[in-house]
């Protein structure tokens, strides 16, 4: 397994471009299954989760052409199977996003139940309940969700918990249903709005995306077209925190500042000076040690759970004590133990981490446990004294495009050690 070697060497400086959003690209690629004509998607990020999704689409019989600029044309005119197998679904939970599109267009679908996850139990009961409300017959058999429906019917569905992929699955299913579907207490994430824009480009009729009530009027058929994926707000936020953590000064291009209001507000509280104009955000933290900030995760537009781990890293050597409360997932603090190995003073009390900032973190061998935990360890490694070696960075490759190249461009001392490379001697706690 590849590892990352990072030597903390001070402030990040310079300018990079932000990639297309992973969590927008995944539902949008699933949405191409709705379309009987070729559909073009641009600004697709080059990530492992995208490769997995393309492999899944390929299994169904979708023909995919991908150019060197990561613009792809997906042609799902005729499919050969409607089954999403366990071996792919277990590597990527977002595979559940094919359930709604396949069922609504072809009248049946079989998707393996995703199973356990490193950050929480993550059930898909709301996806299933919502499709049932639209008239689907669904059974769980041999570990598979087996769904049938002659044609889904428009329905009113209230999410009792806000679910991002749940909202996306039902929104896609509703595009070809008979009648009007109203999704209440829907997720409002920018990725939902981006998916709605993509579906509209296919001929879907959707109102209210970005609010908590989304209305979809089903149509008989969708058609080909094109869509450009929006920028990745979590990648943007991760680089902003990395700059704040290292006392850096960076500019991020091709991003969307308005997606990050809650994150930017918290970064300003740490002492960062942030300016945004058009699609550029600039952060300046030169000569400062960050001040601790309290954070509570909640659905958009509040502070995102996908930025929680990065703020734990920032607080770990900030001035003061902060509480970081996780309200979305029940087990999303796996990074805490690894940070403790680097000298962090963090106490876990249920869903809250009490982070007492220390003057310095020390490089150490650490292990990534999930995508955002990996980002947290990268930030800690950049800001620590000495050398950090992060194992299991395949998690990072799922969601950050060219992270070591981008960080190197900002002056970081970071390199990938391909599998088989002898472990480097690390300084600090071990
Ligand atoms: N939930 C249910 N039942 C359901 C669905 C969700 O109880 O049927 C619960 C979950 O257990 C959780 C809460 O609802 O407690 C919210 O989960 P949600 O369904 O919103 O999460 P998701 O759609 O599976 C997406 C992102 C995650 C991100 C969460 C929350 C994608 C592909 N994934 O997951 O991204 O953390 O929303 O914002 O969009 C990541 O990128 O690192 C990542 C984990």
């Amino acid at each position: 397994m590849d590892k990352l070697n990072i030597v903390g060497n001070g402030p990040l400086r310079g300018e990079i471009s932000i990639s297309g959003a992973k969590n927008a690209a995944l539902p949008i690629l699933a949405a191409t299954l709705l379309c009987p004509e070729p559909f073009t998607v641009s600004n697709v990020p080059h990530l492992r989760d995208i490769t997995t999704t393309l492999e899944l689409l390929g299994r169904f019989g979708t023909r995919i052409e991908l150019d060197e600029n990561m613009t792809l044309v997906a042609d799902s005119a005729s499919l050969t199977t409607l089954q999403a197998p366990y071996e792919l679904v277990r590597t990527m939970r977002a595979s559940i996003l094919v359930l709604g599109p396949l069922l609504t267009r072809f009248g049946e679908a079989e998707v393996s139940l995703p199973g356990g996850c490193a950050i929480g139990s993550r059930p898909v009961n709301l996806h299933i309940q919502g499709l049932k409300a639209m008239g689907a017959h669904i059974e769980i058999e041999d570990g598979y969700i087996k769904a049938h429906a002659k044609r889904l019917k428009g329905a009113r569905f209230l999410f009792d918990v806000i679910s991002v992929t749940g909202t996306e699955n039902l929104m896609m299913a509703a595009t070809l249903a008979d009648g009007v579907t109203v999704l209440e207490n829907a997720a409002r994430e920018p990725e939902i709005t981006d998916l709605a824009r993509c579906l509209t480009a296919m001929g879907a009729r959707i109102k209210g995306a970005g609010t908590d009530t989304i209305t979809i009027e089903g149509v008989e058929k969708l058609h080909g077209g094109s869509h450009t994926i929006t920028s990745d707000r979590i990648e943007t936020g991760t680089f902003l925190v990395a700059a704040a953590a290292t006392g850096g000064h960076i500019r991020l291009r091709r991003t969307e500042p308005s997606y990050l209001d809650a994150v930017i507000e918290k970064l300003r509280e740490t002492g960062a000076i942030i300016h945004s104009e058009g699609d550029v955000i600039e952060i300046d933290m030169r000569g400062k040690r960050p001040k601790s900030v309290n954070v509570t995760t909640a659905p958009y537009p509040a502070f995102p759970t996908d930025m929680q781990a990065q703020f734990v890293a920032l607080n770990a050597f900030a001035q003061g004590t902060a509480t970081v409360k996780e309200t979305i997932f029940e087990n999303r603090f796996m990074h805490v133990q690894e940070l403790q190995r680097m000298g962090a003073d963090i106490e876990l009390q249920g869903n809250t981490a009490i982070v007492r900032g220390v003057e310095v973190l020390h490089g150490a061998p650490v292990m990534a446990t999930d995508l955002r935990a990996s980002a947290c360890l990268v930030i800690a490694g950049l800001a620590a004294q000495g050398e950090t070696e992060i194992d299991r960075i395949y998690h990072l490759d799922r969601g950050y495009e060219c992270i070591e190249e981008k960080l190197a461009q900002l002056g970081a001392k970071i390199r990938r050690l391909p599998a088989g490379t002898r472990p480097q001697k690390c300084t600090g706690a071990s």
Side-chain angles (χ1 to χ4, degrees):
M1 271 179 273
D2 289 4
K3 294 180 183 181
L4 267 189
N5 178 282
I6 302 175
V7 180
N9 70 332
L12 295 183
R13 285 200 187 97
E15 194 169 302
I16 52 164
S17 290
I18 295 301
S19 302
K22 166 182 85 80
N23 289 348
L26 297 178
I28 284 168
L29 292 180
T32 62
L33 292 167
L34 289 163
C35 196
E37 294 167 2
F39 193 86
T40 304
V41 187
S42 330
N43 202 28
V44 179
H46 192 268
L47 302 169
R48 203 162 64 93
D49 275 7
I50 298 299
T51 315
T52 308
T53 307
L54 296 182
E55 194 181 339
L56 185 60
L57 295 182
R59 294 279 182 103
F60 297 135
T62 302
R63 287 155 59 146
I64 292 170
E65 281 171 32
L66 183 62
D67 72 16
E68 66 279 5
N69 297 319
M70 291 301 282
T71 292
L72 68 79
V73 181
D75 182 354
S76 299
S78 58
L79 299 187
T80 47
T81 170
L82 301 172
Q83 195 204 51
Y86 177 62
E87 83 247 30
L88 285 179
V89 178
R90 81 189 165 116
T91 63
M92 192 188 67
R93 304 181 57 79
S95 310
I96 189 72
L97 286 165
V98 301
L99 180 62
L102 289 179
L103 178 63
T104 197
R105 181 168 161 216
F106 298 98
E108 60 178 279
E110 257 188 56
V111 179
S112 169
L113 265 177
C117 173
I119 61 176
S121 61
R122 302 185 76 182
V124 291
N125 57 311
L126 296 169
H127 302 234
I128 293 173
Q129 277 171 27
L131 292 172
K132 281 186 173 168
M134 295 168 80
H137 297 280
I138 300 186
E139 281 169 13
I140 310 291
E141 235 178 72
D142 310 324
Y144 278 78
I145 304 166
K146 298 187 176 176
H148 296 267
K150 218 167 170 194
R151 186 175 178 196
L152 292 176
K153 290 191 172 47
R156 185 172 279 270
F157 184 73
L158 170 74
F159 285 90
D160 55 12
V161 177
I162 297 178
S163 167
V164 176
T165 49
T167 302
E168 291 163 349
N169 229 340
L170 297 191
M171 195 160 85
M172 291 189 280
T175 57
L176 292 174
D178 182 13
V180 175
T181 299
V182 181
L183 304 178
E184 290 174 346
N185 200 25
R188 292 183 280 167
E189 270 67 2
E191 294 75 24
I192 305 273
T193 314
D194 202 36
L195 173 63
R197 276 195 291 265
C198 170
L199 293 170
T200 305
M202 287 180 188
R205 296 193 188 141
I206 302 176
K207 281 192 196 136
T211 74
D212 61 3
T213 305
I214 306 178
T215 306
I216 307 110
E217 188 187 334
V219 296
E220 292 287 329
K221 210 174 163 197
L222 296 173
H223 54 69
S226 63
H227 178 76
T228 301
I229 290 174
T230 195
S231 67
D232 197 314
R233 65 193 164 100
I234 305 300
E235 187 197 17
T236 306
T238 301
F239 278 105
L240 290 176
V241 175
T246 57
H249 179 201
I250 65 170
R251 270 164 64 86
L252 304 174
R253 287 185 310 257
R254 299 188 64 196
T255 185
E256 178 46 68
S258 68
Y259 293 167
L260 285 139
D261 287 348
V263 171
I264 288 175
E265 194 183 308
K266 287 292 163 190
L267 282 169
R268 286 197 171 123
E269 274 183 49
T270 71
I273 296 166
I274 300 179
H275 291 296
S276 54
E277 203 182 321
D279 67 353
V280 175
I281 305 184
E282 182 171 341
I283 179 167
D284 187 352
M285 192 71 172
R286 280 174 293 183
K288 288 186 202 161
R289 177 180 175 197
K291 290 190 215 107
S292 293
V293 274
N294 296 332
V295 163
T296 300
T297 67
Y300 190 83
F303 187 90
T305 173
D306 291 343
M307 286 300 302
Q308 178 258 102
Q310 298 87 321
F311 270 74
V312 172
L314 187 62
N315 277 320
F317 52 86
Q319 208 174 339
T321 297
T323 54
V324 177
K325 190 170 174 188
E326 172 59 56
T327 72
I328 307 289
F329 294 112
E330 67 265 31
N331 188 29
R332 210 175 195 182
F333 278 123
M334 304 281 274
H335 38 287
V336 164
Q337 282 192 349
E338 301 303 304
L339 288 175
Q340 284 167 341
R341 305 188 68 254
M342 298 176 75
D345 180 357
I346 306 174
E347 186 187 333
L348 276 181
Q349 287 183 3
N351 68 349
T352 302
I354 299 157
V355 191
R356 295 179 195 93
V358 295
E359 294 261 338
V360 274
L361 289 180
H362 297 280
V366 289
M367 195 170 73
T369 47
D370 69 71
L371 172 58
R372 307 306 170 186
S374 319
C376 152
L377 297 177
V378 170
I379 291 166
L382 291 169
Q385 281 183 3
E387 198 171 334
T388 296
E389 204 163 272
I390 308 177
D391 200 355
R392 304 209 175 162
I393 54 151
Y394 56 85
H395 292 292
L396 207 57
D397 295 334
R398 296 184 59 171
Y400 289 95
E401 183 175 69
C402 304
I403 188 162
E404 69 264 35
E405 284 88 343
K406 288 188 183 185
L407 283 170
Q409 210 174 316
L410 297 173
K413 233 173 144 190
I414 181 167
R415 69 197 163 105
R416 184 175 289 249
L417 307 174
T421 310
R422 278 180 54 171
Q424 303 287 303
K425 185 173 171 289
C426 283
T427 54
S430 61

